[in-house]
Amino acid sequence: MAVTRFGNSGTPMMQERGGTLLIAERGGALSQNLDFWVTGQGHRLKAVDNIKDLLMTLQHEKISVLVMDVRLPEDLGYEAISIIKGLDRKLPIIITADENNPEQESRIRQQGIFYYHVNSFGPDDLMLAISNAMVRSSQ
C-alpha cells in the first residue's frame, strides 16, 4: 500500500520511504507482529528491550518514529518521555498500553506524544498511527 500525498496543485506525490521505526518493549511480541508490515511499507524496524538501549539508539541513529510500551521506562516513569524529547523534540512517540487507565493516559498525553494506543483496540489503529507518524517525520 503506497502512501500518497497531494501537492499544492492537487496532484498526488509519492511519499518518501525508508524511515526507521524503533520499537521499545520487553519480550519482542509487538516487533515480531509488525515486522512484515513495516518492511512491506518500505521502512526498517529496530527493536530494543530496555531504556538504556533505547536512549543509546536515539543518540546514535536516525529514528523516524518511536513506539514504546508504557512499562518500559522502569524507574524513570513519565520522565522518560521528557528525556527522549530532549534528544529529539520532533520525534513522533507512540505509547502502547495493555489497559486503558485514564489517569495514566492523561499524564502521558501531557508529555506531547503523537498517539496513545491501548493494545486491546487491535493492530489497525496502531498501524495507521505509525503510518501517519512516518509521514509527519519525513516532512
Side-chain angles (χ1 to χ4, degrees), residues 2-61:
V3 177
T4 305
R5 287 186 15 213
F6 292 91
N8 293 338
S9 64
T11 57
M13 301 168 21
M14 184 55 76
Q15 179 61 41
E16 270 187 51
R17 295 300 183 113
T20 300
L21 173 67
L22 176 59
I23 297 181
E25 62 165 342
R26 287 203 175 83
L30 182 60
S31 56
Q32 288 175 2
N33 290 340
L34 290 178
D35 186 41
F36 182 76
W37 177 78
V38 170
T39 55
Q41 298 299 306
H43 304 299
R44 292 174 305 283
L45 184 132
K46 182 163 179 92
V48 296
D49 65 0
N50 63 71
I51 193 70
K52 179 184 172 193
D53 289 344
L54 167 62
L55 296 174
M56 293 295 287
T57 300
L58 291 174
Q59 287 180 326
H60 298 291
E61 297 183 38

Side-chain angles (χ1 to χ4, degrees), residues 63-136:
I63 301 299
S64 306
V65 176
L66 169 63
V67 175
M68 182 174 74
D69 186 290
V70 72
R71 295 168 298 178
L72 185 80
E74 296 116 10
D75 297 333
L76 292 176
Y78 306 119
E79 250 181 71
I81 297 170
S82 296
I83 294 168
I84 292 165
K85 288 283 190 181
L87 293 172
D88 184 351
R89 66 180 183 81
K90 292 186 176 185
L91 177 68
I93 300 172
I94 297 171
I95 299 294
T96 62
D98 284 334
E99 49 191 57
N100 193 8
N101 175 330
E103 181 182 320
Q104 171 180 280
E105 180 179 353
S106 175
R107 278 193 274 173
I108 290 172
R109 286 186 183 275
Q110 289 173 6
Q111 300 289 320
I113 64 165
F114 184 80
Y115 182 68
Y116 183 88
H117 177 74
V118 179
N119 294 329
S120 63
F121 294 168
D124 291 345
D125 286 349
L126 179 59
M127 290 187 291
L128 181 59
I130 292 169
S131 293
N132 290 335
M134 283 290 186
V135 169
R136 176 189 277 186

